[in-house]
Amino acid sequence: MIIPEYNDVLAAYERIKSYIHETPVLSSNNINSISDAELYFKCENFQKVGAFKFRGAMNAMLTISEKYPDQLKKGVATHSSGNHAQALALAARMMGVKAIIVMPETSPKVKVEAVKGYDAEIVFCKPTLIAREEALNKVVEEHGCTFIHPYNDPRIIAGQGTAALELTNRINDLDYVIAPVGGGGLLSGTLLAIGGNSSRTKVIAAEPSGADDAYRSLKEGRIIPSVDPKTIADGLLTSLGELTYEIIRNRVDSIVRVSEDNVIRAMKLIFERMKIVVEPSAATTLAAIFENPEIFKGKKCGLILSGGNVDLERLPW
Amino acid sequence: MIIPEYNDVLAAYERIKSYIHETPVLSSNNINSISDAELYFKCENFQKVGAFKFRGAMNAMLTISEKYPDQLKKGVATHSSGNHAQALALAARMMGVKAIIVMPETSPKVKVEAVKGYDAEIVFCKPTLIAREEALNKVVEEHGCTFIHPYNDPRIIAGQGTAALELTNRINDLDYVIAPVGGGGLLSGTLLAIGGNSSRTKVIAAEPSGADDAYRSLKEGRIIPSVDPKTIADGLLTSLGELTYEIIRNRVDSIVRVSEDNVIRAMKLIFERMKIVVEPSAATTLAAIFENPEIFKGKKCGLILSGGNVDLERLPW
């Protein structure tokens, strides 16, 4: 297992910076006053494809292209119904590489259309983990293409860490950085970026109480799979991978479990006061502050707003 | 009637620039591709109080303070249930001046709370124009405070023009600038700013078809009052004033009437693709492009997104 380090995040940033958006860091006096803390929101909802996932996908594609250019000739593949699918599809298109995305046949039409919009080929499968993996294996076998895992991959992790790198390049002396945790790619990258950059900053993870497998994994000292998770934060349903587990367990300050009510309250407050569209997964970071106001009182905190891909027909309030 | 000019917009900008946000100018490849034009969105939804109105209110307050400081001792007043109420309340509070806002007793609670949140005093009245004016006159008489009209005031107009000034300082060689028109303060200010700054740029106004009194006023050559307007663009219900009418009729290129369907489509597209929250009035600018794609095809257009104060419980889709 190759564990990426701070230098890999720096190298990823040099590699991808001309392809990504440097997303803004926004603040809200009103939300600061409500939360009694000094908050800096890193707005990955403004990233290409509307989520941080593009950073990791682009870093993976460029790294392969540098080291093993021949590998890309037969294309890349992944399974995802979410932001990673769009991210890989766009990164592949930008490099003139074919992307094949395995998606459950139950995926919302809007997500299927989004992936098609980036010219990826879609292979549908039954909506189970086994069917997904089988379909992916078949694609890889038939086409000889390269599988890019959504998070359990050092190149993906290093790429995701560049969001926190940009944040700390802009805002000094943060007491805390809060990132959501699902599969752990963003959280792992954030831990690498912060660990190297400014060691006095603590990294806290935000995880929905109804999908708290990462919390339980750290508590029990082994990866607990996410079984039947229940949360509106649809980006945070997956289990940790071996690599993300290894990075997270050694470095994260704590994992704060957040209620659905606090996620919804945080999400609505971000819409109302900051005038930006975020997905529920992003709002878990502010929800973590609502859960434990005493920890963050008067503190300077960076919050990674992971993305803004939300179904506007079904806002949760 | 004192008609403000380009220099007044420049002077307003010097006066207010340390009090306002320089709001970002955003673009979306996707919306450019849908509209077949090159669009630059001036995001006044990120302005203080969530709307351009703060620019005019701040300019009015600072101008009075420079010229007649004694006038402010007894406070300022206005009638408004919308963004101007909040803007004046905040501008007054920032200068330590008392503000009294006359609001219809039917105003949504959220708007009343917002004005109270800026420490203004609220006087309720019956929801008719006559009751509003009577209540305001009584307030002015009793307290000796200064009435600040929402738009028919040269200081307000010059202040609103600073949004377009910032836009053209950032983006050169625009073919068109599109601004919504209600009472005409923003449109008038935009016309002054553009007229002086870059004469080859044409200014187009966007007006809901169900509240097209400005369109009809220009056609008939006199101010047609807005009677029983029907539109979700609740910032655009008012009639032109004498001053705004005078400025607009001589300088605007055209007024494009937009359907409710196009306003809703534009608003949703801005949420979805740009990940920002805008109010229906702001979306009329993009709706104007949907109404007349042939005019804007291949053109470089600046769109003034007037604000982001929208009831998230009642989004129109």
Side-chain angles (χ1 to χ4, degrees), chain A residues 26 45-46 49-50 268 271-272 274-277 308-310 312-313 315 317, chain B residues 26 45-46 49-50 268 271-272 274-277 308-310 312-313 315 317:
Chain A
L26 299 181
N45 53 333
F46 293 131
V49 313
K268 194 173 179 204
F271 271 64
E272 268 176 2
M274 297 178 65
K275 310 298 180 194
I276 61 173
V277 172
N309 293 331
V310 58
L312 294 169
E313 310 271 356
L315 292 169
W317 49 75
Chain B
L26 300 181
N45 54 331
F46 293 132
V49 314
K268 194 172 180 206
F271 271 64
E272 268 176 2
M274 298 177 64
K275 310 298 180 194
I276 62 174
V277 172
N309 294 331
V310 58
L312 293 168
E313 310 271 357
L315 291 170
W317 49 73

Side-chain angles (χ1 to χ4, degrees), chain A residues 265-286:
Chain A
R265 182 185 159 213
M267 185 173 164
K268 194 173 179 204
L269 204 62
I270 292 169
F271 271 64
E272 268 176 2
R273 304 299 173 157
M274 297 178 65
K275 310 298 180 194
I276 61 173
V277 172
V278 293
E279 57 197 32
S281 306
T284 59
T285 56
L286 180 58

Side-chain angles (χ1 to χ4, degrees), chain A residues 232-251:
Chain A
I232 57 159
D234 56 347
L236 307 179
L237 301 175
T238 42
S239 315
L240 296 180
E242 285 174 29
L243 183 53
T244 55
Y245 171 71
E246 195 58 32
I247 294 170
I248 292 167
R249 74 182 184 93
N250 284 316
R251 314 192 190 205

